[in-house]
Amino acid sequence: MREVEQLAVGQDGERPMADTCRVIACIPVYTLGEGKVVEHALEQYRKQITNGSVKPDEFEVLLFLNYPKDKLEDIHIAPGAEERVRTGHPEPYDTREVIRQYRARHGELRMHVIEKEFGTRPNWGWIIKYAYDAAALRARARKKPVDHDVIILANDIDVRDTSATYLRRLIQTFDRNRENGGTRKTPRIDGVVGRIDHDTTTYRTWPNFFAVTRFEQFLDAQNRRGYPGRQPHMPPEEAGDGYALRGRRRGEKHTVTQGRNTAFRASAYCAVGGANTDTDVGADTELGRMVTFARRGVTDKNLPPDEYPFTYSPVMWLETDPRRELGMYRKGEPVGRAWSEWEAMNVYGKSFAEHIGGETEELNTERLEKEFGVMLRKWGLAANALSVERALVWLGLAQRDRTTRKHIYKDYEIVPDAAGAPMIEITDLAHLRQHIARWKPKRERIVAVRSEPK
């Protein structure tokens, strides 16, 4: 704790957190590999100030620069970082210098930078615990805060774009809940999960990647809303991870927290003891489950919808770099296993353009069937589950008459796989291709409209 306190308030000779600060965005940064992307990420937060979403003293960015010592031994760091960055040609390991020069140019964006060298790569739980604990301690050290319960915003360095009112919407969500919460009709929330998406350029180039990403988003949407049929039709231990069931009892709605766009009340984070340092992949998701467990009180109690501690905000959206998901996809790995090489630390060192550039693809039946199968195992769902049918309809692989509920068309069948389990077999891609063609300009219009300051 003493080390974190020193990092929170004593490192880098920086000013303390403003008494008027409402939100602190916590961003872990791999020191040796983010020199080409960190400035773009910081610019998204500065835009929140320049467009009037928040005042400079209402928001702070906490950057946790870290790296394992054994990785430092694997690279050669050339001299001349100041000139490289100043002329717009940073190397991946120039992260510190990019941040230093950015801060010198843009003092309106309040930043606190903490650094740590680990011996070897730690669990992700350790990394976020350092960052989130430091945020909570910085907030606690204030003399006369306007709000003692600062909002800890979990973001990462992959942010590519945000809604123009991103931070304002976040603050308003908590403020309105505080004004109206505390009753059975409107319980007090502990956190908010915002909408996440990838950029249109990636989706145009990789339509199978786009389709399977939307498929998972449609499953997740039903999970959040508590639609009937979202529960698995087979035990999760037989179906894989059982993603939709982990951390909740059957019948509960569930909003999956993650490290790209989730906000917690600092008091809720501290009440559960912070992040679990024994967890690597999924530590941010587990943190949400910890808060839910704490609110539930006992393990055999279902949380009714009006007592659930998290809410979802579609207007608090951001676009994130698809480098991890797309990188694995381009290797032939399914999107549902995008984090299976987490510990390899192999997505760093390239710019956004370098990550998404190169070859293109066309819609492919075999690839989609494989992707859908892995995604269903991840969520612990059978192919004939009602929630899966809905997702396929929304995706454009089927359409029903709203009155008769009979299929107008159906471009897939549920058939047994080699082991006899149900699987999705796609019979026609024409309607899916049409839907994708319509989705792309619609996505661009949504972004354009929501980017207008209000």
Side-chain angles (χ1 to χ4, degrees), residues 111-158:
M111 283 190 279
H112 184 70
V113 181
I114 62 177
E115 299 188 49
K116 182 172 177 60
E117 178 187 81
F118 294 96
T120 57
R121 190 191 75 85
N123 286 336
W124 186 249
W126 271 115
I127 293 176
I128 62 173
K129 185 170 176 60
Y130 268 96
Y132 303 167
D133 283 9
L137 287 167
R138 280 182 64 75
R140 191 184 69 173
R142 296 180 295 176
K143 302 299 183 182
K144 297 180 179 179
V146 296
D147 189 338
H148 289 274
D149 209 356
V150 74
I151 301 167
I152 296 176
L153 174 60
N155 283 165
D156 64 20
I157 205 66
D158 287 338

Side-chain angles (χ1 to χ4, degrees), residues 16 23 70 92 139 177-178 201 238 264 270 293 371 410 454:
V23 181
D70 56 356
N177 179 260
R178 178 178 299 172
T201 300
E238 295 180 15
F264 294 91
C270 295
F293 286 165
E371 293 282 348
K410 184 181 177 186
K454 295 183 179 179

